[in-house]
Amino acid sequence: MAPTSRPLIDDLRARTSDRHHTLDSGAFTRALANGTLAREAYWGMLKATAIIRDALERTLEAHASPIIASVWSPAFKRAPLLKRDLVFLEQTGVPDVPGAIQAAHDVAALCRVRAERDPISLLGWLYVMEGSMKGAPVLCRLARRTFGFPGDDGLAYLLSAEGASVPWSEFADRLNALTLDDEQRERVIEAALELFDGLIAIFQALQPAAFYLNPEAGRHPIPTDPRELAAAQRAGDICWQMFPYLDRRYGDRGRRFTSSDSAWLVTLAELDQETTNQQVLWLGRVLGARGLPRIILECQLRLLHQELCASVPAKTEIYTRLLEASHLLHRRRAAILADEPFDAVAAQFETRVSALPDHLTHAGVLIVSAVLDAHDDVPSAVESLTTWLTDVERFSSDWIRAVEQTISETRGLLPTG
């Protein structure tokens, strides 16, 4: 098969644009822009970036692949500059943000896995990290204004983007000059998406507030209006009751995450509709890969809209963005499988298992939804759900057979081609 002639940089830009938008429009950037970012969040950003950069740069520098060598240059090394910034900030006694640092170590572990199995794909990571430097001059000015750093202390990493010895245009030319087959190109793009998802998780963990509802959730924004917080709690409780699977599998810890996630979702209504949609799609992808099919989020957004409008009617128009995001999730699954066959397959599962002692109400809906999520590129959507739903220590053979049959029936209804 002949290699695709389309420039690799164009494919990378197109395929990662939604993640790029999510990252650029997040609470961290907004807080830095308006001068309210906590110094610990800036410290956490630098420290997390240093962890990832160090892992990536060590790998690319040490690898003997001629493909990597044609793109990589020691001029891309920025980990030493990050370490210089961290030494300065450490002297000021800035505390860590543990959730963000752990997330960074998790991302670095993925880098090491790729280094062993598919090192060329890490050029997708380099694309993301070098692309992030295009906005560094603006971030540098904002950080200098917000924190009042003396001279260039604490800013060495961001300042390195100005006058870089390998400008972005030359880096793009190097990527475009590669001769990769379609499979190799796809792996580079998948790696870029993987790193974007990791960075989004890190930046979410850097933000304040949800920590106080659920310390395990990290620090992301929640509303300050007690009426909105109460509405978020009610919506989370109703959704929790709708799907007994949640309590059975995730228990009290899962309920705490439901509370903090529901509170965070309220803040999305303050964004424009496109950004709200992107954030919801990102969260749906993350949760779907962790055993929580997106139909749960779809229901939670709908319930949240109802509770918020009833509690704070003056903001009904703003809250409509959450309802539209719920409709977006519904439209995506209905485009794959219409409501009527969806409901029929889910109901058939309920009929099969209704008399079983291990029956979980609405599990059929979750199974069908997970299959559709997987078809819509949510990673491990089916496996992350059914690993638990087919555990022989929890469920009978009749139940497990019904789960497997429903998955097969749903897949048989999916569009082909």
Side-chain angles (χ1 to χ4, degrees), residues 8-85:
L8 176 58
I9 203 80
D10 290 351
D11 278 355
L12 282 163
R13 186 181 297 113
R15 293 278 296 279
T16 63
S17 61
D18 59 338
R19 264 74 155 199
H20 196 174
H21 180 76
T22 297
L23 200 58
D24 280 355
S25 61
F28 180 96
T29 305
R30 296 199 307 275
L32 184 58
N34 64 30
T36 62
L37 187 72
R39 186 172 289 219
E40 65 191 79
Y42 180 73
W43 156 269
M45 180 275 288
L46 291 177
K47 193 168 185 179
T49 304
I51 292 168
I52 296 169
R53 276 257 182 202
D54 187 64
L56 177 61
E57 292 172 8
R58 286 174 182 272
T59 296
L60 295 179
E61 189 170 40
H63 209 277
S65 165
I67 292 178
I68 291 176
S70 68
V71 176
W72 168 255
S73 165
F76 292 133
K77 290 184 64 175
R78 303 185 198 269
L81 298 172
L82 284 158
K83 291 175 182 176
R84 186 192 309 173
D85 288 338

Side-chain angles (χ1 to χ4, degrees), residues 100-401:
I101 303 308
Q102 181 56 57
H105 282 297
D106 291 343
V107 172
L110 294 175
C111 178
R112 289 188 286 273
V113 171
R114 285 193 175 273
E116 294 178 1
R117 299 179 180 176
D118 190 16
I120 292 173
S121 70
L122 286 173
L123 293 176
W125 280 44
L126 186 60
Y127 163 82
V128 175
M129 297 309 292
E130 286 304 299
S132 71
M133 298 307 294
K134 291 198 291 181
V138 174
L139 295 180
C140 184
R141 290 194 293 273
L142 294 173
R144 192 188 296 278
R145 183 195 68 188
T146 299
F147 305 117
F149 292 138
D152 295 338
D153 289 333
L155 298 170
Y157 172 65
L158 296 179
L159 283 168
S160 69
E162 297 182 346
S165 58
V166 182
W168 173 259
S169 59
E170 182 179 335
F171 172 67
D173 288 343
R174 292 183 185 188
L175 282 181
N176 288 336
L178 294 176
T179 303
L180 303 178
D181 61 35
D182 286 347
E183 184 179 351
Q184 288 173 316
R185 289 169 67 96
E186 184 64 24
R187 295 203 304 269
V188 170
I189 294 168
E190 287 176 356
L193 292 169
E194 175 185 67
L195 181 54
F196 263 118
D197 284 343
L199 292 175
I200 289 169
I202 289 168
F203 276 80
Q204 291 288 352
L206 290 171
Q207 293 313 296
F211 175 84
Y212 301 106
L213 276 180
N214 174 19
E216 294 177 272
R219 295 174 176 265
H220 55 74
I222 62 172
T224 56
D225 188 328
R227 296 172 299 174
E228 290 182 325
L229 283 173
Q233 183 67 54
R234 288 195 298 274
D237 288 345
I238 296 170
C239 189
W240 193 264
Q241 293 164 11
M242 285 177 61
F243 298 101
Y245 158 78
L246 296 173
D247 189 54
R248 279 278 300 276
R249 180 168 184 177
Y250 299 104
D252 291 341
R253 183 171 183 266
R255 191 152 198 157
R256 291 194 298 271
F257 272 96
T258 297
S259 295
S260 55
D261 285 351
S262 188
W264 174 71
L265 287 170
V266 176
T267 68
L268 299 186
E270 302 291 341
L271 308 176
D272 61 87
Q273 189 65 62
E274 181 183 359
T275 304
T276 298
N277 290 348
Q278 294 293 350
Q279 295 276 21
V280 165
L281 288 174
W282 168 79
L283 181 60
R285 194 169 189 270
V286 171
L287 295 178
R290 297 176 180 174
L292 296 159
R294 287 191 300 190
I295 198 166
I296 298 175
L297 180 58
E298 178 188 326
C299 292
Q300 187 167 1
L301 285 164
R302 186 173 63 249
L303 292 166
L304 189 56
H305 172 259
Q306 294 172 358
E307 294 295 327
L308 287 168
C309 289
S311 299
V312 193
K315 295 178 67 174
T316 294
E317 184 175 352
I318 291 175
Y319 298 142
T320 301
R321 293 169 190 151
L322 301 178
L323 184 61
E324 174 54 33
S326 176
H327 291 334
L328 172 65
L329 292 175
H330 174 261
R331 288 195 299 272
R332 287 180 76 110
R333 66 178 174 83
I336 301 169
L337 185 65
D339 288 344
E340 186 174 349
F342 180 106
D343 293 339
V345 178
Q348 183 61 34
F349 173 83
E350 299 295 334
T351 299
R352 293 186 183 117
V353 301
S354 60
L356 298 178
D358 47 8
H359 176 223
L360 285 174
T361 305
H362 296 318
V365 169
L366 299 181
I367 296 166
V368 179
S369 177
V371 175
L372 304 189
D373 289 347
H375 191 77
D376 198 24
D377 294 327
V378 176
S380 305
V382 175
E383 297 82 359
S384 61
L385 176 71
T386 57
T387 295
W388 192 86
L389 282 182
T390 59
D391 187 339
V392 294
E393 294 185 1
R394 292 186 177 91
F395 296 100
S396 65
S397 58
D398 289 338
W399 168 277
I400 293 172
R401 186 161 47 252

